[in-house]
Amino acid sequence: TMAPPSSARPRPPLPDPRDLAPRLLPWFVQHKRDMPWHGRLNPYHLFVAIFMLQQTQVATVLPYLRRFLKAFPSVKALAAAEVDEVLRQWEGLGYYSRARNLHRAAQTIVAEHRGRIPRTEAELRALPGFGPYTAGAVASIALALPEPAVDGNAARVLSRLFLVDGPAQSPVVKRGLEALAARLVDRVRPGDWNQALMELGATLCRPRRPRCATCPLARGCAARAA
């Protein structure tokens, strides 16, 4: 008897969402890299780091982050600075629209929020340069709000776990992954959960040659089963 064509084979079962956090969070605590944004921290420091990390590798960001925060130690200091000085401190990171948006966001925070980082995801989304990922990361990591934060690494992990078809960059798939992430986010430790997904994608669930043998979520991963 001939085997059915691959397109006719049943899809593997999807992982049980309740089974993910008990395996992923302990892995994150044990294996996370030493980064200043791992853990709960100053919301201002975090949102500067997140802007820098957009389209720039971690190793490049770290010295710039330290220098930038030394030059502008608070959101009020950043808002009061001239944009040329902000760009000078940013020089070498590239994608300078990030620096301009960061400066405009600081000015908005001072003008509309009395210098305090907004405490809700909706208010964060209203800031210049704050998309779903930036707002979700600040809300979950710095403010412990149960909001998703889907960067490229987290999107890859979720796509593989739940065998999501299509490129993660497409608007339809992106919206689907964000909705999936919103359902999965841990309500008790949302910041750790989001960081764990991103860390897993950065270190094990890589674009090429993923290290499935040491992945805490390999059991039940639909892409691996397929």
Side-chain angles (χ1 to χ4, degrees):
T1 303
M2 293 182 62
S6 59
S7 60
R9 292 172 185 164
R11 290 170 66 90
L14 300 182
D16 184 347
R18 297 169 298 180
D19 189 40
L20 299 179
R23 289 189 282 143
L24 182 59
L25 292 176
W27 172 87
F28 176 65
V29 171
Q30 183 176 357
H31 296 284
K32 64 183 177 181
R33 294 170 295 174
D34 184 18
M35 303 293 179
W37 48 84
H38 279 166
R40 205 152 181 251
L41 76 169
N42 184 310
Y44 167 66
H45 292 180
L46 179 65
F47 100 77
V48 173
I50 289 172
F51 268 81
M52 288 187 172
L53 285 166
Q54 295 170 10
Q55 300 169 301
T56 304
Q57 294 183 349
V58 168
T60 302
V61 161
L62 289 175
Y64 278 91
L65 179 63
R66 288 190 290 266
R67 189 178 74 183
F68 196 91
L69 292 176
K70 184 177 181 180
F72 312 114
S74 68
V75 67
K76 291 182 179 180
L78 178 57
E82 296 292 334
V83 67
D84 287 346
E85 174 60 16
V86 176
L87 292 174
R88 189 178 74 81
Q89 294 294 337
W90 196 275
E91 188 174 359
L93 276 177
Y95 300 98
Y96 290 92
S97 61
R98 296 178 297 172
R100 293 186 178 90
N101 281 332
L102 181 61
H103 187 230
R104 289 171 53 220
Q107 292 177 326
T108 302
I109 290 168
V110 170
E112 300 180 9
H113 300 279
R114 299 181 180 180
R116 187 185 186 195
I117 302 294
R119 314 304 283 184
T120 69
E121 196 268 348
E123 289 176 322
L124 288 167
R125 285 289 301 274
L127 295 174
F130 271 70
Y133 164 67
T134 305
V138 173
S140 62
I141 300 169
L143 306 177
L145 298 176
E147 300 290 346
V150 184
D151 72 344
N153 288 318
R156 183 168 58 257
V157 172
L158 294 175
S159 294
R160 287 173 172 171
L161 277 175
F162 291 89
L163 205 59
V164 176
D165 294 325
Q169 297 82 5
S170 75
V172 173
V173 174
K174 186 175 181 180
R175 286 194 298 269
L177 289 173
E178 289 172 352
L180 174 61
R183 295 195 298 271
L184 294 176
V185 66
D186 189 83
R187 303 292 163 178
V188 178
R189 297 168 59 188
D192 281 352
W193 168 259
N194 287 332
Q195 291 179 94
L197 281 178
M198 293 185 275
E199 188 75 350
L200 187 68
T203 60
L204 298 185
C205 195
R206 302 175 301 181
R208 297 180 182 274
R209 301 182 67 181
R211 299 175 178 175
C212 298
T214 56
C215 176
L217 302 183
R219 174 170 51 85
C221 175
R224 187 166 187 252

